[in-house]
Amino acid sequence: MSLAPPPDAGEISAAADRLETAPAAEIVRWALERFPRGRVAVVTGLQAAGVAVIDMAAAVDHAYIEELRRERGWRIEVVVPDPDPIAEFVAEYGLDPFYGSVQRRLDCCHLRKVAPLDEVLTGLDCWLVGLRRNQTAGRARLRPVAVDVAHGGITKVSPVAGWDADAARTHLAARGIPLHPLYGVGYTSIGCAPCTRAVDPGEDERAGRWWWEQGIDKECGIHGRPVPITAAGAD
Ligand code: SF4
């Protein structure tokens, strides 16, 4: 049996329109049925919403369950960066240059996060993520299915785009899946240790990410460069 070719922009747009208000599990099912095994993956930094997407993917496609490991059995590939450019970066700028400027912070994020993920995505036709529209101003127009121009035109699926933070936690609680332990000590977003802190009551969900930076979206570059909040939040 021949495999269906990757979708073109027209098919992606039609799918996005049809799935705009669909339940998250239906969006996950569309992605797993549309793309062949081995060409589609869930990518997450272990935020609650991303873990919920993994859970829905496992429920939709029982063949994934064969790849389970230990109790839940999810097959998780840990992506690590190339140590050589990081060693050069540290030698030139020191261990924590990210506190000094946004550009240096983005340089670090590029080496440790963006570049390793780019390499993984070159082998895929589709990736699923736990992005939500209400996380940042720049994510406000997030579609459930989109052409990922930054990664060679593969398909990017955001099944929980319409969820809020509570919906992700409710899903995990109902499924008996533990949250990342940092959620239990005041964190509302999970990131690298030097760049993430717990938030105070009433603070924005992503206020603990790069908390010393003001006036730009809290983005590492994986999902686009951070933009000034005033420009992105115009609508
Ligand atoms: S979050 Fe901080 S430590 Fe992690 S890659 Fe970005 S700048 Fe570097």
Side-chain angles (χ1 to χ4, degrees):
M1 187 176 71
S2 62
L3 297 175
D8 59 19
E11 181 182 344
I12 293 293
S13 178
D17 290 345
R18 185 168 52 79
L19 296 170
E20 182 70 28
T21 58
E26 185 177 334
I27 302 170
V28 171
R29 178 180 294 278
W30 175 84
L32 297 186
E33 291 180 349
R34 178 60 184 82
F35 294 91
R37 181 72 43 77
R39 304 292 300 176
V40 54
V42 179
V43 176
T44 177
L46 300 181
Q47 313 271 4
V51 176
V53 175
I54 297 177
D55 177 55
M56 286 184 279
V60 167
D61 190 340
H62 290 283
Y64 276 174
I65 295 173
E66 296 170 7
E67 300 169 345
L68 297 184
R69 75 182 186 197
R70 291 198 293 237
E71 312 98 51
R72 291 242 163 229
W74 292 339
R75 179 175 176 267
I76 297 176
E77 177 185 357
V78 178
V79 179
V80 296
D82 182 345
D84 292 340
I86 290 177
E88 291 172 19
F89 182 74
V90 169
E92 183 159 2
Y93 300 112
L95 279 175
D96 56 2
F98 29 81
Y99 297 126
S101 76
V102 172
Q103 186 55 56
R104 206 61 76 219
R105 193 272 285 178
L106 288 172
D107 291 343
C108 185
C109 284
H110 182 82
L111 290 175
R112 296 180 192 271
K113 296 182 171 187
V114 178
L117 180 67
D118 285 352
E119 198 167 319
V120 170
L121 294 182
T122 59
L124 299 177
D125 294 328
C126 176
W127 59 315
L128 294 90
V129 297
L131 297 183
R132 305 185 344 255
R133 291 189 193 100
N134 65 2
Q135 283 177 306
T136 69
R139 298 179 184 180
R141 294 192 181 91
L142 185 67
R143 308 286 327 262
V145 183
V147 177
D148 188 350
V149 176
H151 294 106
I154 66 172
T155 302
K156 186 173 181 179
V157 178
S158 301
V160 298
W163 284 16
D164 59 19
D166 286 343
R169 294 180 187 221
T170 299
H171 176 95
L172 296 189
R175 299 275 298 148
I177 300 169
L179 286 169
H180 190 290
L182 285 176
Y183 283 109
V185 291
Y187 286 67
T188 50
S189 183
I190 310 300
C192 294
C195 300
T196 312
R197 64 160 171 77
V199 301
D200 293 326
E203 277 195 300
D204 181 79
E205 178 186 348
R206 288 175 72 81
R209 306 291 295 278
W210 311 291
W211 65 90
W212 62 92
E213 294 180 2
Q214 304 296 328
I216 61 169
D217 263 350
K218 305 286 189 173
E219 295 284 3
C220 68
I222 283 177
H223 303 296
R225 288 183 63 86
V227 296
I229 287 174
T230 48
D235 58 335

